[in-house]
Amino acid sequence: MQGTIDGFNYGAVTPVVAYVMACLGGALGLRCTIRSLRTSSRWKPGWLAMGAASIGSGIWTMHFVAMMGFHVQETPVTYDLGRTVLSLVVAIVVVGAGVYIVGYRGATGPALASAGLITGLGVAAMHYIGMGGIRVNGRIEYDPVSVALSLVIAVAAATAALWAAVSVRGFLPSLGASLIMGVAVTGMHYMGMHGIAVHLHTIDVTQADLGRSPSSLLLPMLIGPVVFLLLAGVVVMFDPLLVLGEGEWSAPAGGAPAAGAGRGPASPASSASSSGGRTRPGQAPPGGPSSWNDGRDERTW
C-alpha cells in the first residue's frame, strides 16, 4: 500500500519561510566571502569560515523548515537525531570546502568547476542524509529522474553562488544573487521531494515506536542555526563598507587605491591652474573646504 504524501501540510508558510532562510544564509555567506577577498591573510580564514557557516546553516534550515510541512496521512513521521545533526555538519563542512577553494584561488574556471561540484554534491548529500533520518511506518523510495535533476540543480546553484561570491560587487547585485540562490536551493529541495514515495508496512505502529516527532526534534534544533544567522547578520551590519560594497572593498583586487585617495592638500599652483590661473584672495580651492583633509581620504573616516 502506498502512503498519501502532503509536502505542504501548513500551506504556503513552510515554503516561504524556507526560501527566506535560504536567501538569508546565501546573502550573509556572499558578503562574508567578498569581505575575505579585501582583507589581510590573517583574517581571511575567519571571514571564509563565517561565510561557509552562514550558507550551510541557511541551506540546512531551509531544508528542515520545509520538512516541517512534510506529512504522510497513514503514518506518523519522526526523525533520527544522529542523522539530522550529521546533515548539518555535512552542509557546513562541504560548503566550507567550496568557499575556501574560490576564496584562495579566485573565480578561475578550474576553481569554480571543482568548488561548484563539491559544494553542490555536498548540498545534495545534506538533503538526502536528512531524508535518511526520517522514520515512517514504511519504506521511502526515490524516483531516479527527480534525484538526478535535484543533483544538477544543486551543482548549478552552488557554482553560480560561488561565482557571485567572488565576482559580484555592491549590495544590490549581491542581494539579487542571494535571491536567485534561494530559488535554486529551494527548487532543488522540492524537486527531490517530488520524486519520493512511501510504501507502507502492514503492521501498525505509533509515533512513540518510531521516534521523536518533528516538533519535538526539529524546532529546538532550528534555534541554533537561526541564532547564528542573526549574529552573523549583526556582524555584517556593523561593517558598513561590507554592506554597501563601497570604498576599498569595490577597488580592484590588486589593491590599487581609488582615484584621488590619499592626496594631500592642493597646492596654490594646482588650484590656480584648475581655475584657469586666476584665484581671488580668500577663495576656497576647487572642490570646497572638504578637499582640505590633511592628506586623508574622506572614506577612511
Side-chain angles (χ1 to χ4, degrees):
M1 179 180 177
Q2 186 165 321
T4 305
I5 298 175
D6 182 7
F8 305 93
N9 192 41
Y10 297 103
V13 174
T14 48
V16 169
V17 175
Y19 172 71
V20 171
M21 297 309 299
C23 291
L24 176 60
L28 294 175
L30 294 181
R31 302 311 296 164
C32 291
T33 305
I34 289 174
R35 182 65 159 85
S36 74
L37 302 176
R38 301 300 176 188
T39 189
S40 64
S41 57
R42 174 185 175 186
W43 295 103
K44 181 185 289 286
W47 283 109
L48 290 175
M50 189 164 74
S54 297
I55 296 175
S57 297
I59 293 172
W60 185 88
T61 305
M62 175 278 303
H63 171 79
F64 281 102
V65 166
M67 290 305 297
M68 293 290 293
F70 178 73
H71 175 73
V72 182
Q73 182 175 336
E74 294 83 2
T75 176
V77 178
T78 62
Y79 290 85
D80 177 72
L81 176 61
R83 292 201 181 189
T84 303
V85 173
L86 177 61
S87 66
L88 174 60
V89 174
V90 168
I92 295 176
V93 171
V94 180
V95 169
V99 168
Y100 270 73
I101 289 175
V102 297
Y104 281 96
R105 296 180 58 187
T108 62
L112 280 176
S114 59
L117 180 62
I118 292 172
T119 305
L121 294 179
V123 171
M126 178 277 301
H127 173 85
Y128 288 106
I129 289 174
M131 293 296 297
I134 294 178
R135 298 289 180 263
V136 295
N137 183 29
R139 183 181 72 258
I140 297 179
E141 294 184 352
Y142 299 90
D143 174 42
V145 175
S146 297
V147 172
L149 287 176
S150 68
L151 293 177
V152 171
I153 294 174
V155 172
T159 304
L162 293 173
W163 173 85
V166 295
S167 303
V168 175
R169 295 292 182 268
F171 176 71
L172 291 180
S174 292
L175 178 61
S178 66
L179 295 177
I180 296 173
M181 179 182 175
V183 171
V185 172
T186 309
M188 174 265 166
H189 170 85
Y190 284 105
M191 175 58 67
M193 295 299 296
H194 175 72
I196 69 171
V198 177
H199 296 276
L200 301 172
H201 295 156
T202 56
I203 301 175
D204 292 333
V205 297
T206 64
Q207 181 170 297
D209 297 326
L210 293 175
R212 303 182 65 177
S213 65
S215 59
S216 65
L217 176 64
L218 296 184
L219 287 179
M221 285 195 65
L222 288 171
I223 294 175
V226 170
V227 169
F228 171 80
L229 290 174
L230 294 176
L231 293 177
V234 171
V235 173
V236 170
M237 289 174 60
F238 276 92
D239 193 338
L241 295 179
L242 180 59
V243 174
L244 298 176
E246 296 179 348
E248 60 183 284
W249 311 125
S250 58
R263 290 180 182 173
S267 64
S270 61
S271 299
S273 61
S274 64
S275 59
R278 297 183 301 275
T279 56
R280 295 189 300 273
Q283 180 183 5
S290 62
S291 65
W292 295 86
N293 56 13
D294 296 329
R296 293 172 292 185
D297 188 78
E298 288 183 349
R299 287 173 296 178
T300 62
W301 285 54

